[in-house]
Amino acid sequence: MLFPSHVIRRVCKAVYWADRQIRAELRDGYIANENDYTSNFTGMIRRQINGYGFSALHAQSFVLKPAVERRFGADGCIIFANNREFKVGIFEAKWPRLSTNANSWDSIQVSSKISHFDSQLTRQSSLGLFAVWEMFYLEHPFGSQPTVFPDHTSCCIWHADAYSLSKLRARAKPWTDTELLSLSPVLKIDEIVKEICECRAGKVIQKDDYLSVFQDMLEAPREILLIKYDDRLDLQQHQG
């Protein structure tokens, strides 16, 4: 495992409550769009983790300044690191607005004539080192979202599961709400993070130059959240 079990529990608790809190803010009209949600979400994770006062665990945000020709790709990136190695989590954020709109969250690209979401899924398939998932933000009051989605948080789908359906559909048409609701298995963000930290998703990278993994990417994430555990500072504060 990347972290010991008591640290994984802390990290999972932080990401769960961060997503739950920002979903409430989206519900109440304080969030403008996907980028605003993602920025507030990762910022809330940082504050939750650093607010523990657990010296062995720290969160830090980075903003990449890539070359001019590089485009920004994935909406969110979380790096999970210990003193020896790290893993990268990448997610694409969508706000389908299911409570107010119908079949409005995907579109056909002008140049390729295929679904924008299908195009994103295809590009993500090359990110073999990373743990990649799709994250659908929900503006519904708690418990009022479609029954297949979580009651209090966003809906997370592993990239591989979404891509499997993508390869079977007519890609010259936008995704529909019905197709979105058929995606499975549906996970909460803490379940995604638990799989990553327990080394059941993504690959371990044996170095500590975290930002170097994005050097050759044509599409890099704009903002990165680093969650680092230092076992040398672990005072075994297991409570909380």
Side-chain angles (χ1 to χ4, degrees):
M1 296 195 299
L2 196 65
F3 304 147
S5 58
H6 67 283
V7 174
I8 294 176
R9 285 195 298 271
R10 286 178 182 270
V11 174
C12 288
K13 182 178 179 180
V15 298
Y16 170 83
W17 280 103
D19 192 18
R20 181 165 174 156
Q21 287 173 291
I22 304 306
R23 173 169 161 176
E25 299 222 324
L26 179 64
R27 175 200 64 199
D28 294 340
Y30 298 117
I31 302 296
N33 51 40
E34 288 98 336
N35 289 339
D36 193 23
Y37 192 115
T38 301
S39 180
N40 277 279
F41 168 55
T42 55
M44 183 64 73
I45 295 172
R46 185 187 67 245
R47 292 189 290 273
Q48 289 268 354
I49 286 177
N50 293 340
Y52 282 143
F54 179 53
S55 60
L57 190 64
H58 184 75
Q60 179 179 357
S61 297
F62 296 93
V63 178
L64 281 186
K65 297 179 179 179
V68 173
E69 68 272 12
R70 184 185 296 173
R71 296 170 293 175
F72 290 117
D75 294 303
C77 176
I78 306 175
I79 295 175
F80 305 86
N82 59 34
N83 293 329
R84 299 163 297 280
E85 55 198 10
F86 68 96
K87 301 180 80 170
V88 177
I90 293 278
F91 64 93
E92 188 72 44
K94 298 289 183 188
W95 179 16
R97 295 173 172 82
L98 296 178
S99 68
T100 57
N101 297 332
N103 301 318
S104 64
W105 60 276
D106 190 23
S107 61
I108 297 299
Q109 292 183 322
V110 175
S111 56
S112 66
K113 308 298 183 185
I114 68 170
S115 151
H116 181 61
F117 187 46
D118 282 326
S119 175
Q120 290 175 316
L121 290 171
T122 299
R123 294 199 304 274
Q124 290 171 11
S125 66
S126 67
L127 301 175
L129 278 178
F130 304 159
V132 184
W133 70 95
E134 318 307 318
M135 196 162 176
F136 296 92
Y137 300 147
L138 306 173
E139 74 282 357
H140 308 72
F142 291 161
S144 298
Q145 72 292 324
T147 55
V148 296
F149 289 162
D151 284 340
H152 304 104
T153 61
S154 300
C155 165
C156 295
I157 306 288
W158 281 118
H159 166 263
D161 296 314
Y163 192 42
S164 293
L165 182 55
S166 169
K167 290 185 288 187
L168 296 175
R169 67 182 304 277
R171 305 178 104 203
K173 296 181 179 180
W175 279 63
T176 65
D177 296 345
T178 299
E179 288 177 298
L180 169 57
L181 293 171
S182 72
L183 287 172
S184 66
V186 170
L187 300 172
K188 302 188 297 295
I189 186 60
D190 54 309
E191 295 170 319
I192 291 282
V193 168
K194 189 171 189 285
E195 289 194 33
I196 295 173
C197 293
E198 291 182 346
C199 291
R200 291 184 283 128
K203 296 184 179 179
V204 170
I205 301 171
Q206 299 284 348
K207 54 182 177 180
D208 60 4
D209 186 5
Y210 312 118
L211 304 186
S212 67
V213 297
F214 305 107
Q215 281 183 161
D216 299 323
M217 290 177 63
L218 291 178
E219 296 188 69
R222 182 188 299 271
E223 297 183 20
I224 296 168
L225 177 68
L226 169 66
I227 299 174
K228 184 172 182 180
Y229 166 69
D230 187 340
D231 57 10
R232 296 165 300 187
L233 299 177
D234 192 343
L235 302 179
Q236 302 301 314
Q237 299 172 350
H238 292 201
Q239 70 277 13

